């Protein structure tokens, strides 16, 4: 069980309490303090001694959520890992239901749950596109980040196959990972809102990097296309998503006077069509049509 945190002393206690209050206790709780300068250390020093499970605190200079989660993964000593962002919390039966489901269905290496979204103290209804799906979710993951980070439990061994979080990404590191996972593995959805997600605050990286998220997602798709891990159907799906996102971003740049940047992105479409034909000659007829 891994909680990364940075200056979230006001929320961290609730997150930890939701872990300790589970009907199925995890074997360890790893909290990665990513360079907090608030009261986080004092909070942790008061909580750890009284906990019913081992709590290990790792501290590092601020390096971002991807690096913090990677520290937790490397430190984890058991076969399954789960993640909880420090401003989110869980329903008390979350771990019980998810772990039992993964054990009973060993063909699945990763599971997620539905979420209840809270913004500024009010329940927020999800749009259809945000509702998570079960099984092969690669096409859904191409569109947007559809797997809530705090909903996930997975076999630690999975990281040996797909790699860790990309630490070069200050945001969208979850979108990047779910692409690498979903192109290889189906997801076991626990179709209940067992995770409560807090949002709508300016301290969240999704807010801080909201104007750069399109480029980060394009870069993740580009890396996936370059990685030589996709079969032909998935390659075509990824290429279509890449072209759509590049077109929207490139034309947006042109519209706002960023001509050089916009053209440089739009030129990627022809370049990746050429690469696609080299890789899969059958695709030539698609681009010539």
């Amino acid at each position: 069980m891994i909680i990364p945190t940075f200056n979230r002393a006001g929320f961290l206690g609730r997150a930890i309490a939701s872990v300790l209050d589970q009907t199925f206790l995890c074997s360890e709780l790893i909290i990665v303090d990513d360079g907090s300068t608030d009261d986080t250390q004092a909070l942790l020093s008061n909580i750890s001694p009284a906990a019913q499970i081992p709590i290990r605190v790792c501290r590092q200079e601020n390096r971002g959520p991807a690096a913090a989660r990677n520290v937790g993964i490397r430190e984890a000593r058991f076969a399954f890992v789960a993640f909880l962002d420090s401003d989110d919390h869980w329903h008390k039966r979350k771990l019980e239901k998810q772990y039992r489901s993964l054990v009973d269905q060993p063909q699945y290496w990763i599971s997620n749950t539905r979420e209840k979204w809270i913004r500024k103290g009010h329940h927020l209804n999800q749009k259809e596109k945000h509702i998570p799906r079960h099984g092969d979710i690669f096409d859904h993951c191409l569109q947007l980040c559809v797997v809530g980070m705090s909903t996930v439990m997975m076999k630690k061994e999975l990281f040996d196959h797909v790699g860790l979080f990309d630490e070069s990404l200050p945001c969208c590191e979850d979108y990047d990972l779910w692409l690498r996972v979903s192109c290889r593995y189906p997801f076991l959805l626990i179709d209940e809102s067992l995770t409560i997600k807090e949002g709508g605050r300016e301290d969240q990286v999704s807010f801080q990097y909201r104007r750069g998220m399109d480029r980060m997602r394009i870069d993740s798709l580009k890396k996936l296309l370059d990685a030589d891990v996709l079969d032909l159907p998935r390659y075509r799906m990824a290429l279509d998503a890449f072209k759509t996102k590049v077109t929207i971003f490139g034309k947006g740049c042109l519209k706002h006077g960023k001509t050089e940047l916009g053209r440089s992105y739009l030129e990627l479409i022809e370049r990746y069509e050429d690469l696609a034909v080299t890789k899969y000659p059958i695709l030539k007829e698609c681009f010539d049509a």
Side-chain angles (χ1 to χ4, degrees):
M1 170 63 228
I2 299 166
I3 298 180
T5 189
F6 173 67
N7 286 347
R8 291 273 174 76
F11 296 95
L12 180 58
R14 182 183 62 186
I16 295 173
S18 78
V19 175
L20 300 181
D21 194 39
Q22 291 292 300
T23 55
F24 178 85
L25 290 178
C26 56
S27 300
E28 63 179 356
L29 171 57
I30 301 170
I31 301 171
V32 184
D33 182 1
D34 191 36
S36 295
T37 56
D38 61 358
D39 295 331
T40 293
Q41 292 191 31
L43 172 70
L44 293 175
S45 65
N46 290 329
I47 290 178
S48 299
Q52 299 178 28
I53 60 174
I55 296 181
R56 289 190 286 148
V57 177
C58 303
R59 294 187 175 89
Q60 63 181 24
E61 294 183 1
N62 182 250
R63 295 167 53 204
R69 292 193 191 102
N70 286 345
V71 168
I73 294 164
R74 294 188 185 102
E75 289 290 326
R77 297 177 291 193
F78 296 90
F80 288 90
V81 294
F83 298 92
L84 177 61
D85 287 348
S86 55
D87 53 346
D88 297 335
H89 55 290
W90 286 339
H91 183 280
K92 65 180 181 179
R93 296 191 65 191
K94 195 264 190 186
L95 289 184
E96 175 192 347
K97 292 189 175 187
Q98 199 164 31
Y99 179 74
R100 299 298 184 198
S101 296
L102 281 168
V103 170
D104 289 344
Q105 301 175 77
Q107 69 271 29
Y108 291 101
W109 286 40
I110 184 167
S111 171
N112 59 307
T113 76
R114 293 191 64 163
E115 297 173 306
K116 179 179 180 181
W117 286 4
I118 303 295
R119 178 170 292 176
K120 297 181 180 179
H122 299 285
H123 174 73
L124 184 67
N125 291 324
Q126 295 172 311
K127 296 180 179 179
E128 180 68 26
K129 67 179 182 179
H130 294 126
I131 297 176
R133 302 173 187 173
H134 172 78
D136 182 354
I137 66 170
F138 181 62
D139 60 337
H140 201 192
C141 287
L142 289 169
Q143 300 170 35
L144 69 165
C145 188
V146 294
V147 179
M149 194 68 243
S150 296
T151 74
V152 170
M153 178 184 290
M154 60 200 297
K155 293 181 180 180
K156 184 184 176 185
E157 183 185 353
L158 188 147
F159 290 105
D160 296 334
H161 298 268
V162 303
L164 298 172
F165 289 94
D166 186 342
E167 297 183 15
S168 70
L169 294 172
C171 186
C172 297
E173 76 290 341
D174 46 357
Y175 174 82
D176 181 85
L177 180 64
W178 307 144
L179 287 180
R180 286 183 274 134
V181 175
S182 64
C183 73
R184 299 172 174 92
Y185 298 91
F187 280 63
L188 172 59
L189 175 65
I190 310 301
D191 198 17
E192 298 180 53
S193 298
L194 300 176
T195 303
I196 298 89
K197 179 178 178 61
E198 297 276 352
R201 301 193 318 279
E202 295 184 4
D203 67 306
Q204 295 175 303
V205 292
S206 57
F207 179 88
Q208 295 169 355
Y209 293 96
R210 63 195 183 281
R211 292 187 177 88
M213 292 172 71
D214 291 338
R215 294 179 70 172
M216 293 179 204
R217 289 175 178 172
I218 289 171
D219 287 346
S220 291
L221 286 166
K222 180 175 176 291
K223 287 187 298 180
L224 187 66
L225 290 168
D226 291 342
D228 198 29
V229 296
L230 302 175
D231 58 18
L232 176 57
R234 293 183 186 278
Y235 189 92
R236 290 188 63 176
M237 292 163 59
L239 181 61
D240 287 344
F242 175 76
K243 290 164 61 176
T244 297
K245 292 184 186 298
V246 167
T247 299
I248 294 171
F249 181 76
K251 288 184 176 180
C253 289
L254 296 180
K255 180 179 179 180
H256 291 91
K258 300 178 181 179
T259 306
E260 184 176 351
L261 180 62
R263 287 176 177 171
S264 69
Y265 268 83
L266 292 174
E267 288 170 359
L268 288 174
I269 294 177
E270 183 176 355
R271 175 186 168 193
Y272 271 82
E273 286 183 346
D274 290 342
L275 290 172
V277 170
T278 300
K279 185 177 181 65
Y280 295 110
I282 194 175
L283 293 177
K284 187 176 189 304
E285 60 189 58
C286 300
F287 305 141
D288 292 340

